[in-house]
Amino acid sequence: MNPYLSVVIPAYNEEKRIKKTLEAVDAYLKTQEFSWEVLIVIDGAKDKTADVTNAFVAGKEGYRVIDRKENRGKGYTVREGMLAATGTVRLFT
């Protein structure tokens, strides 16, 4: 069954901020009664964004990581995440 809410998080060179963002999103969503998913779309980051993200989502349900090796820009990345999302309601942050 598809989740009610999909949260798409585009990320480019966010290794220093992504963990704090994911912790805040996770803390909020865990208190909700509706079903949800989080898609982190990494846009060809040149730092350790993918490593930090993958470490955070390891073993957690409801998370997906799209790790594109080529930088295509925020608009492309948001669009890719929205198209991959399965929720009835979709948002990005």
Side-chain angles (χ1 to χ4, degrees):
M1 187 162 126
N2 291 346
Y4 172 72
L5 176 67
S6 292
V7 179
V8 175
I9 303 174
Y12 176 73
N13 291 347
E14 298 288 340
E15 78 175 284
K16 294 181 179 170
R17 291 184 291 247
I18 193 73
K19 184 177 179 190
K20 187 173 181 179
T21 299
L22 293 174
E23 287 172 344
V25 169
D26 188 64
Y28 174 77
L29 290 174
K30 283 183 175 177
T31 66
Q32 304 308 305
E33 294 183 15
F34 52 80
S35 59
W36 51 268
E37 69 175 348
V38 176
L39 289 86
I40 303 101
V41 187
I42 302 171
D43 186 25
K46 308 233 184 301
D47 64 0
K48 298 195 181 301
T49 299
D51 295 339
V52 174
T53 301
N54 287 321
F56 181 84
V57 304
K60 291 183 173 74
E61 291 195 29
Y63 287 85
R64 288 193 283 155
V65 178
I66 299 172
D67 186 7
R68 187 175 351 86
K69 302 303 180 194
E70 179 184 357
N71 179 267
R72 301 291 297 265
K74 183 177 180 180
Y76 186 96
T77 302
V78 170
R79 181 178 185 271
E80 184 175 8
M82 289 293 185
L83 291 173
T86 59
T88 304
V89 175
R90 301 168 190 196
L91 63 88
F92 77 93
T93 182

